């Protein structure tokens, strides 16, 4: 089928209602809001605009479904998750196309996200049956200590637009595995993927009410009453630090459990003994994966002065090879940014750096519209006061600065309020471990530019948040620990 026809066919058959209690329906107000294609700025479809009443209905359903879901044998929950993993792969082409349409990323990136996102369901289907407790004698010999785990209860998940599928599956997978229920509020810019995921989950056998999906144009109005409802037991959020901080404050009065996956400002540190060609190849991934719109994206490159020029020249050559265009077109390797706001922010950060003395080695100027495009851009000699070194760029821009020795490299890497990911390149294992220990980040990649793995604990420190997604740690976020003292 020709691409345009495939697009029309897909948009005709995807769900566009809110998903509550196992069914798609209009919002209680009947209102809708448009979802745009960031490459053309055209409206793709109108989506039901969930109201606070819809939020209450979804929480009612999550509360009602909770006890039966918690009591469902772990093996059965695991098999449902496994079926959802298969269901995602069975519809991989639809998901990839849909993600590219609503978010902009190049089609191969969307295909990768499908695999990555689905993997959380497979991983947590395997974890569901390994939720363990313990039984130990009390040291004083006076009794026995019995520890068990119980699902946390109804959860609210709020997800960002940059990975429309995976940011949902990394929360839904462990919640369902643990026996918890969940109301999901996807990003307003990219709600379609999560609605299609709801369809897959229903087909996989997830009971009514266990998952609801509520797109809305008024996030705060929907989530505020939910956070204030004492029946809600947990908030899991992925998004900006600013919104995360406001949500933590809103969660405080109810002493709500929260997990926060927030912004990043990842340093990419290249030491004098690094394999420069390998570092450049990995830098391309760390910088341009997802068009630079990743919380783990390398935000700034700290390169030892002895390899600075070689690294810079090779990075420019590598980034120049990327093909900017509409993500669904053949051969395109980098799509548009998600919105006009995002494009303006990236432009501003580049202009600020250049105005303060950085030299533009590649790109730097947004092309004429339509579409929120921004080209791969390299900035060298970036001065310390350039905003791009301290703010999250969320675009295909690589600012490069040099450092003189290991201590200076580590200090530069840590000079940020954030602490999500960091990348270090060296052939010296002692140095790698020494530096990794000193870097203030939840995740450190050693000689590799992509660290996300459903089997590893993903998460940050400092202003990048708290809590972990993936790994054996990920399910703990959805479990309460219970202790029974036995005589
Ligand atoms: P955002 O904070 O603007 O929005 C995230 C979500 O919160 C969206 O669903 C949005 O609709 C919702 N939201 C916004 N204001 C709200 C409010 N007042 N009340 C309730 N909900 C509200 O972030 P974004 O622009 O969608 O995503 C980009 C950010 O996400 C970046 O900072 C990025 O680093 C971060 N991110 C972090 C991770 C991680 O795992 N640490 C992963 C992906 C993205």
């Amino acid at each position: 089928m020709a691409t345009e026809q495939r697009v029309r066919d897909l948009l005709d058959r995807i769900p566009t209602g809110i998903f509550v209690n196992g069914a798609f329906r209009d919002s209680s107000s009947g209102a809708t809001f448009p979802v745009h294609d960031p490459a053309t700025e055209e409206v793709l479809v109108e989506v039901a605009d969930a109201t606070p009443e819809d939020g209450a209905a979804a929480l009612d359903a999550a509360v009602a479904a909770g006890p039966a879901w918690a009591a469902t044998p772990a093996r059965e929950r695991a098999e449902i998750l496994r079926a959802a993993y298969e269901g995602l792969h069975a519809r991989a082409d639809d998901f990839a196309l849909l993600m590219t349409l609503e978010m902009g990323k190049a089609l191969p990136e969307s295909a990768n996200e499908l695999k990555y996102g689905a993997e959380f369901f497979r991983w947590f289907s395997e974890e569901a049956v390994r939720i363990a407790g313990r039984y130990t004698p009390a040291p004083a010999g006076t009794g026995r200590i019995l520890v068990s785990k119980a699902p946390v209860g109804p959860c609210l998940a709020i997800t960002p637009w940059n990975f429309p599928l995976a940011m949902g599956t990394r929360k839904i997978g462990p919640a369902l595995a643990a026996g918890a229920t969940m109301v999901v509020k996807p990003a307003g810019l990219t709600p379609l993927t999560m609605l299609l995921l709801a369809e897959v989950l229903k087909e996989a056998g997830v009971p009514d009410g266990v998952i609801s999906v509520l797109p809305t144009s008024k996030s705060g109005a929907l989530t505020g009453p939910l956070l204030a409802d004492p029946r809600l037991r947990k908030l899991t959020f992925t998004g900006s630090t600013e919104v995360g901080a406001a949500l933590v404050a809103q969660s405080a009065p109810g002493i709500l459990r929260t997990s926060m996956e927030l912004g990043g400002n990842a340093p990419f540190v290249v030491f004098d003994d690094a394999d420069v060609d390998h570092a450049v190849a990995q830098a391309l991934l760390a910088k341009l994966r997802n068009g630079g719109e990743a919380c783990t994206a390398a935000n700034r490159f700290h390169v030892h002065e002895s390899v600075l020029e070689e690294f810079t020249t090779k990075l420019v050559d590598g980034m120049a090879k990327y093909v900017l265009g509409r993500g669904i077109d053949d051969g395109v390797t980098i799509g548009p940014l998600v919105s006009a706001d995002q494009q303006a922010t990236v432009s501003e950060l580049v202009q600020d750096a250049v105005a303060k003395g950085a030299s533009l080695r590649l790109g730097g100027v947004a092309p004429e519209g339509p579409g929120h495009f921004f080209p791969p851009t390299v900035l060298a000699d970036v001065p310390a006061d350039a905003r791009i070194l301290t703010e999250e760029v969320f675009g295909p821009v690589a600012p490069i600065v040099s450092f003189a020795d290991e201590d200076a490299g580590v200090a530069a890497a840590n000079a940020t309020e954030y602490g999500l990911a960091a990348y270090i390149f060296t052939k010296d294992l002692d140095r790698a471990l020494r530096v990794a220990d000193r870097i203030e980040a939840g995740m450190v990649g050693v000689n590799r530019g992509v660290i996300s793995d459903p089997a590893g604990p993903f998460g940050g420190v400092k202003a990048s948040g708290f809590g972990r997604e993936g790994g054996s740690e990920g399910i703990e976020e959805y479990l309460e620990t219970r202790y029974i003292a036995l005589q």
Side-chain angles (χ1 to χ4, degrees):
M1 213 187 293
T3 307
E4 293 305 330
Q5 199 185 331
R6 272 198 64 215
V7 169
R8 277 194 305 277
D9 167 65
L10 179 64
L11 294 177
D12 281 348
R13 60 191 164 78
I14 53 165
T16 55
I18 60 171
F19 183 74
V20 178
N21 212 7
F24 289 99
R25 64 166 171 81
D26 290 343
S27 88
S28 63
S29 66
T32 61
F33 68 94
V35 181
H36 293 91
D37 179 341
T40 62
E41 300 182 43
E42 286 168 6
V43 174
L44 293 167
V45 285
E46 290 278 332
V47 152
D49 195 353
T51 63
E53 291 70 36
D54 297 322
L59 184 56
D60 288 348
V63 170
W69 183 241
T72 301
R75 174 66 69 203
E76 230 173 276
R77 295 200 305 266
E79 278 167 3
I80 290 172
L81 272 176
R82 177 68 193 213
Y85 163 80
E86 311 281 354
L88 279 171
H89 277 279
R91 299 178 71 174
D93 290 348
D94 281 355
F95 272 97
L97 184 56
L98 193 56
M99 281 190 268
T100 292
L101 286 172
E102 65 175 344
M103 187 272 176
K105 68 180 83 180
L107 210 45
E109 295 272 1
S110 296
N112 283 340
E113 181 175 347
L114 181 282
K115 288 189 205 129
Y116 172 60
E119 201 56 40
F120 285 97
F121 285 172
R122 178 156 71 167
W123 173 260
F124 284 109
S125 77
E126 293 157 348
E127 288 294 283
V129 294
R130 309 200 199 293
I131 299 168
R134 81 189 134 86
Y135 176 83
T136 48
T142 49
R144 297 283 183 275
I145 291 167
L146 184 62
V147 180
S148 66
K149 302 277 177 168
V152 64
C155 307
L156 171 64
I158 304 178
T159 59
W161 47 263
N162 63 340
F163 291 97
L165 178 73
M167 297 303 103
T169 57
R170 0 195 242 189
K171 300 179 186 310
I172 297 168
L176 296 193
T181 57
M182 185 172 264
V183 177
V184 184
K185 193 218 78 66
L189 290 171
T190 59
L192 303 175
T193 303
M194 205 74 83
L195 291 172
L196 191 58
L197 175 62
E199 195 168 276
V200 167
L201 289 167
K202 185 175 170 66
E203 285 166 9
V206 175
D208 295 352
V210 169
I211 285 286
S212 294
V213 178
L214 300 176
T216 182
S217 64
K218 297 174 201 73
S219 301
L222 180 83
T223 59
L226 294 175
L227 295 173
D229 192 315
R231 297 174 302 163
L232 189 76
R233 291 295 157 79
K234 160 103 193 174
L235 166 66
T236 170
F237 173 77
T238 299
S240 60
T241 297
E242 189 189 0
V243 173
L247 291 171
V248 170
Q250 276 188 59
S251 302
I255 320 290
L256 196 62
R257 267 186 79 179
T258 56
S259 303
M260 293 282 141
E261 297 284 352
L262 308 177
N265 178 6
F268 188 104
V269 187
V270 184
F271 289 99
D272 48 353
D273 62 349
D275 174 338
V276 174
D277 288 326
H278 177 68
V280 169
Q282 295 298 307
L284 294 173
L285 298 175
K287 181 69 258 179
L288 295 181
R289 174 169 168 260
N290 219 42
E293 293 174 308
C295 51
T296 50
N299 208 59
R300 51 208 163 89
F301 292 80
H302 298 278
V303 183
H304 189 268
E305 54 198 20
S306 67
V307 287
L308 179 67
E309 193 45 44
E310 181 188 359
F311 180 86
T312 305
T313 308
K314 289 179 172 171
L315 187 66
V316 168
D317 290 348
M319 283 180 60
K321 292 197 178 84
Y322 277 68
V323 180
L324 184 66
R326 192 177 182 200
I328 63 173
D329 290 342
D330 283 346
V332 167
T333 49
I334 182 163
L337 298 173
V338 76
S339 65
D341 281 354
Q342 199 62 33
Q343 187 193 38
T345 305
V346 173
S347 287
E348 246 178 56
L349 290 173
V350 171
Q351 283 162 20
D352 169 77
V354 171
K356 287 172 177 161
S359 61
L360 194 57
R361 297 280 290 263
L362 181 72
V365 182
E368 286 287 305
H372 313 305
F373 292 96
F374 201 88
T377 295
V378 179
L379 294 164
D381 310 316
V382 180
D385 62 343
R387 284 171 50 201
I388 199 161
L389 296 182
T390 51
E391 295 178 30
E392 193 177 26
V393 60
F394 244 55
V397 183
I400 305 177
V401 289
S402 69
F403 65 89
D405 60 34
E406 189 177 300
D407 282 347
V410 171
N414 285 337
T416 171
E417 69 193 289
Y418 294 104
L420 189 62
Y423 305 90
I424 55 179
F425 285 77
T426 171
K427 283 191 212 148
D428 177 344
L429 183 60
D430 285 346
R431 169 179 267 170
L433 296 176
R434 189 170 63 233
V435 171
D437 278 349
R438 292 176 68 195
I439 295 238
E440 298 163 356
M443 301 173 285
V444 179
V446 175
N447 293 325
R448 56 186 292 175
V450 176
I451 51 182
S452 301
D453 186 326
F458 187 105
V461 298
K462 295 160 73 179
S464 293
F466 46 81
R468 293 295 179 267
E469 293 187 324
S472 50
E473 291 81 357
I475 200 164
E476 292 293 333
E477 304 283 326
Y478 300 92
L479 292 168
E480 293 288 6
T481 299
R482 289 192 184 159
Y483 156 47
I484 299 170
L486 291 176
Q487 186 54 33

